[in-house]
Amino acid sequence: MRLNQKALLTVGATLFGLNLVLYLIASTILIGSFKQVEYEATHHTVEGAVDAIHQTSQQFSDRYADWAAWDDTYAFIAGEKPDFVDINLNPGSLINIRVNLAIFIDSSGQIVYSTRFDPETQQMSPIPDDLKQYLTSGDLLLQHANPESSLNGILMLSEGPMLITSRPILTSEDEGPIRGTLIFGRKLDDQEIAHLAEITRLSLSLTPLHPNQLPADFPTLQQGLQKMPVVIKPLSHETIAGYTLIPDIYGRPVMLLRVDAPRTIYAQGQKAMSYLAWSILAVDIAFGLLTVIWLKRLVLSRLTNLSSEVRNIDTKSGLSARVTVAGHDELAELAIVINEMLKTLEQYEGDRQKAAASLQKAKEAAEAANVAKSQFLANISHELRTPLNAIIGYSEMLAEEAQDLGEVVFVQDLRKIQMAGQHLLGLINDILDLSKIEAGRMTCDPEPFSMSVLIQEITTTIQPLLSKNNNTLSIHCPSSIGTMYADPTKVRQCLLNLLSNACKFTEQGTVTVVVERTEKWGNEEIKGWEDEAYAMTKLEKQKNLDASESAHPLTLPSPHPPITWIIFKVSDTGIGMTSEQVEKLFQPFTQADPSTTRKYGGTGLGLAITKKLCQLMGGDIAVESAIGQGTTFIIRLPITIAEIS
């Protein structure tokens, strides 16, 4: 991606992010404010509906005040006007005054007259039984302490809610003494609620607090109504509802009032946010374009020219060229620094060419010295092995003759000469092998051979070393292990090096050899194999693995078939090693601890040669050890190796 594209992307992303944050903050504040206003407006609407219900109840009470303060009623309650009912409480009169319930009670609490009236059928019937429980002495409906006393409100009966008014019976001059109580009632049915909604111009509904009639979300509303008198709940993007409880004349909540209102304020808020979003987008585009044009003119174009000049330096005039310095800002300072760098590079290039020539001469001299060293080691090894073989041979012959003559003292000395010669011969062979490997002249001659036969031969060879320290050997090699296509001499040499070390560092213990065959590449199969040598195997080279990946546990891509590997594990119960000592292994002429050299002997070449031979055959070696618990060496070789020359 070019710099101007990055600048455009950066400016655009920055402006978008800033304005997005601005929009979110503004929308949160504005929408929150609009919602608050909407909630307050709905709250006032619900309060207005409640006031309308109270006003209707008061008007209902005031309308029948003259019935309670009337001489005819005053006389009727005292039994002085027997035709009062026929004249004033006939069906026609009850229809005109719009009442469904009329009760006259004297001052002793006795019902003088009561009736329930159905205007549709124009039939009169006894008052409901559940109403009679309220018509007892001491009840709120019958308590009027003075002529100005009155009571009105809602009373929930079995047949539904009813508007109730209760007034003391007085003379037409509103004087007493109070002779009783007049109670009028009107059903608060759907028609009455619709009439109330028409008067208030509100969409409202009144629902009795009866389980079968309450809305499904009433439990949630009830929790809110226990905390506040009015609960506001948006129903949709177009409608919001306010809820409150309506009490009866005893202060008990008996009905749920719901007032629906259009979300005009919310719609205005959404419209305002839409205008704000489009305005922010337009400002973003305009400001972004201006910023990019300004950056391109003052910065990007100059950077492009500077980049072009730097790119053409090597192709045209080399390090002797210089870039143009224009202006007095940071870009001009950058051009000055580039010119100074070119000058320094020009000087360094001359010095580098001189150093390269010197290094080439040194390299050639080192290669010649390495060839001379390898030739010297090969020659000196050959010259040393000839007399050593003679010494070893003559010592064997003299030992046999001394044995035949019964000279036991001479036999022991001759055996020491023979062992010292063999030790020196082995050391010379190790040095020669190491020299060949380092010079790249070590060859690998693979051939098929039986692994079980090889293990048996090694077992026979290692027996004297086992007996020396009273160790026992445990072999775990299945007879069905099969054959291996490799260099048997080098495999035998590797195993004998490990077994000789195990026997040397273990006394009266157990040396275990385990041979396994595996085709898995999972982490459980290669755990602990962190040496970089695996990156140099033939398989790794074919997969073009990067050298930097060799320090990690190896894995193969799943589409490739698994490779068959032979695992040789040589374990002992000897002295073991610390982690610091393990890190020193596999280095030529180096042992884990100098004290072991004094006690056990050795040159430190065996493990180094073993590791290089394993790598030569496409495998490697790993080690696991703990101080005082023994050591386990693990050789991992492919079952089939290629010829290496």
Side-chain angles (χ1 to χ4, degrees):
M1 184 181 293
R2 300 187 64 83
L3 191 59
N4 54 0
Q5 295 174 336
K6 291 182 179 179
L8 179 61
L9 181 62
T10 302
V11 171
T14 302
L15 290 175
F16 177 78
L18 290 175
N19 287 284
L20 178 62
V21 173
L22 176 63
Y23 175 78
L24 292 176
I25 294 175
S27 63
T28 302
I29 295 175
L30 291 177
I31 293 298
S33 300
F34 278 108
K35 285 184 177 180
Q36 183 65 28
V37 173
E38 181 184 48
Y39 276 42
E40 291 178 358
T42 306
H43 192 281
H44 291 321
T45 301
V46 173
E47 290 179 345
V50 173
D51 292 339
I53 294 175
H54 291 163
Q55 185 177 0
T56 301
S57 177
Q58 186 63 43
Q59 290 176 353
F60 176 74
S61 177
D62 294 342
R63 180 174 180 180
Y64 305 108
D66 56 348
W67 278 75
W70 188 18
D71 290 340
D72 288 354
T73 305
Y74 198 75
F76 169 70
I77 203 68
E80 299 174 358
K81 203 168 182 61
D83 56 351
F84 179 83
V85 173
D86 295 333
I87 297 173
N88 298 295
L89 297 177
N90 56 67
S93 299
L94 295 177
I95 291 175
N96 289 333
I97 63 175
R98 294 180 60 210
V99 295
N100 302 102
L101 185 69
I103 304 175
F104 294 82
I105 302 176
D106 60 16
S107 57
S108 63
Q110 297 296 320
I111 298 176
V112 176
Y113 176 78
S114 65
T115 184
R116 178 173 58 179
F117 177 68
D118 186 354
E120 294 182 359
T121 61
Q122 297 188 7
Q123 295 293 323
M124 294 186 179
S125 59
I127 61 175
D129 293 337
D130 54 345
L131 177 60
K132 295 179 180 179
Q133 61 180 326
Y134 303 110
L135 304 180
T136 59
S137 298
D139 191 87
L140 186 62
L141 279 174
L142 305 183
Q143 291 183 2
H144 296 289
N146 52 69
E148 291 78 17
S149 173
S150 66
L151 179 66
N152 61 84
I154 297 175
L155 188 62
M156 183 60 65
L157 302 177
S158 58
E159 60 185 23
M162 180 171 288
L163 284 176
I164 292 291
T165 179
S166 172
R167 286 184 171 272
I169 297 176
L170 305 170
T171 64
S172 298
E173 288 79 17
D174 292 328
E175 295 178 353
I178 298 174
R179 284 190 176 180
T181 302
L182 171 62
I183 299 174
F184 276 159
R186 181 189 298 168
K187 286 184 178 181
L188 193 58
D189 53 13
D190 294 340
Q191 182 178 0
E192 193 68 26
I193 295 173
H195 178 68
L196 180 62
E198 182 180 357
I199 294 174
T200 58
R201 297 183 180 181
L202 296 175
S203 175
L204 56 84
S205 63
L206 283 169
T207 305
L209 296 182
H210 191 278
N212 297 330
Q213 300 181 19
L214 290 173
D217 58 347
F218 179 73
T220 304
L221 296 174
Q222 188 177 22
Q223 294 178 0
L225 291 171
Q226 291 175 353
K227 301 177 182 178
M228 57 188 69
V230 178
V231 173
I232 309 299
K233 180 181 180 182
L235 302 179
S236 64
H237 289 291
E238 293 80 21
T239 307
I240 189 170
Y243 300 86
T244 189
L245 296 176
I246 303 299
D248 60 4
I249 58 176
Y250 297 98
R252 301 171 302 187
V254 293
M255 301 192 75
L256 177 66
L257 171 64
R258 167 179 162 179
V259 180
D260 294 343
R263 304 192 68 180
T264 307
I265 299 175
Y266 178 77
Q268 291 176 352
Q270 293 291 335
K271 190 174 182 180
M273 289 308 305
S274 177
Y275 288 151
L276 177 61
W278 284 109
S279 300
I280 290 176
L281 180 61
V283 171
D284 270 356
I285 294 174
F287 190 75
L289 291 176
L290 291 175
T291 303
V292 170
I293 293 172
W294 179 78
L295 283 175
K296 188 173 183 180
R297 178 174 298 179
L298 297 182
V299 179
L300 298 180
S301 61
R302 294 173 60 191
L303 282 175
T304 302
N305 296 334
L306 183 61
S307 175
S308 178
E309 291 181 359
V310 172
R311 191 182 303 111
N312 294 329
I313 285 176
D314 187 62
T315 58
K316 290 185 178 181
S317 55
L319 295 176
S320 62
R322 299 293 182 266
V323 298
T324 303
V325 178
H328 302 282
D329 53 9
E330 287 81 358
L331 290 179
E333 294 177 359
L334 176 61
I336 294 173
V337 172
I338 291 175
N339 287 335
E340 293 176 353
M341 180 189 66
L342 290 173
K343 182 179 179 181
T344 304
L345 288 175
E346 187 177 9
Q347 296 174 354
Y348 284 165
E349 179 63 19
D351 298 338
R352 187 195 64 80
Q353 292 177 358
K354 295 178 182 179
S358 300
L359 287 175
Q360 182 64 26
K361 293 180 181 179
K363 178 177 178 293
E364 293 173 357
E367 290 176 348
N370 189 42
V371 172
K373 182 202 74 169
S374 299
Q375 187 65 36
F376 170 77
L377 289 175
N379 293 335
I380 197 66
S381 298
H382 176 73
E383 295 298 330
L384 289 175
R385 281 190 293 183
T386 299
L388 278 175
N389 286 327
I391 293 172
I392 294 171
Y394 278 113
S395 63
E396 289 178 353
M397 293 170 58
L398 292 173
E400 291 176 357
E401 291 181 3
Q403 184 73 31
D404 294 337
L405 296 174
E407 299 292 341
V408 180
V409 176
F410 294 115
V411 172
Q412 294 178 353
D413 293 336
L414 290 170
R415 294 298 184 193
K416 291 180 181 179
I417 294 174
Q418 181 184 354
M419 291 177 60
Q422 290 176 346
H423 175 73
L424 184 57
L425 182 61
L427 177 60
I428 293 172
N429 289 333
D430 287 344
I431 294 175
L432 183 59
D433 287 343
L434 184 63
S435 176
K436 287 182 179 180
I437 293 173
E438 290 180 346
R441 295 191 299 165
M442 177 65 74
T443 60
C444 186
D445 301 318
E447 62 181 60
F449 62 91
S450 173
M451 284 180 283
S452 59
V453 173
L454 177 67
I455 296 300
Q456 291 175 1
E457 294 174 354
I458 293 174
T459 302
T460 303
T461 304
I462 205 68
Q463 285 300 328
L465 292 177
L466 288 167
S467 303
K468 183 178 180 180
N469 287 342
N470 297 323
N471 294 320
T472 59
L473 179 64
S474 175
I475 302 295
H476 300 278
C477 178
S479 58
S480 61
I481 193 68
T483 61
M484 182 178 182
Y485 186 77
D487 191 328
T489 302
K490 292 179 175 55
V491 175
R492 182 184 295 106
Q493 182 178 355
C494 293
L495 293 176
L496 285 174
N497 283 341
L498 298 182
L499 285 169
S500 63
N501 280 347
C503 293
K504 180 166 58 174
F505 294 106
T506 304
E507 295 182 1
Q508 298 181 354
T510 302
V511 178
T512 305
V513 178
V514 178
V515 185
E516 298 175 343
R517 179 178 181 148
T518 180
E519 295 183 351
K520 295 182 180 180
W521 273 95
N523 290 336
E524 70 280 3
E525 295 293 341
I526 61 175
K527 182 178 181 182
W529 296 82
E530 299 178 351
D531 196 275
E532 62 182 4
Y534 278 122
M536 301 305 296
T537 62
K538 292 294 181 181
L539 185 61
E540 276 19 277
K541 291 180 179 179
Q542 294 174 3
K543 302 302 178 183
N544 295 322
L545 291 180
D546 189 88
S548 63
E549 298 176 352
S550 62
H552 301 281
L554 299 176
T555 56
L556 282 178
S558 57
H560 298 279
I563 303 300
T564 303
W565 297 86
I566 299 299
I567 308 297
F568 299 95
K569 297 181 180 179
V570 178
S571 305
D572 61 62
T573 58
I575 60 176
M577 294 178 288
T578 64
S579 58
E580 292 78 8
Q581 293 173 336
V582 170
E583 294 177 356
K584 298 178 182 179
L585 292 179
F586 308 118
Q587 298 179 13
F589 304 103
T590 302
Q591 288 197 332
D593 191 344
S595 62
T596 60
T597 305
R598 295 190 296 268
K599 182 176 181 180
Y600 299 100
T603 61
L605 288 176
L607 290 178
I609 294 174
T610 300
K611 182 177 182 66
K612 292 185 180 295
L613 289 178
C614 290
Q615 294 175 350
L616 183 68
M617 291 185 288
D620 204 356
I621 184 172
V623 60
E624 299 174 356
S625 183
I627 192 72
Q629 298 181 10
T631 304
T632 299
F633 286 92
I634 308 170
I635 291 178
R636 187 166 181 262
L637 297 174
I639 196 170
T640 301
I641 68 171
E643 291 192 20
I644 302 173
S645 60

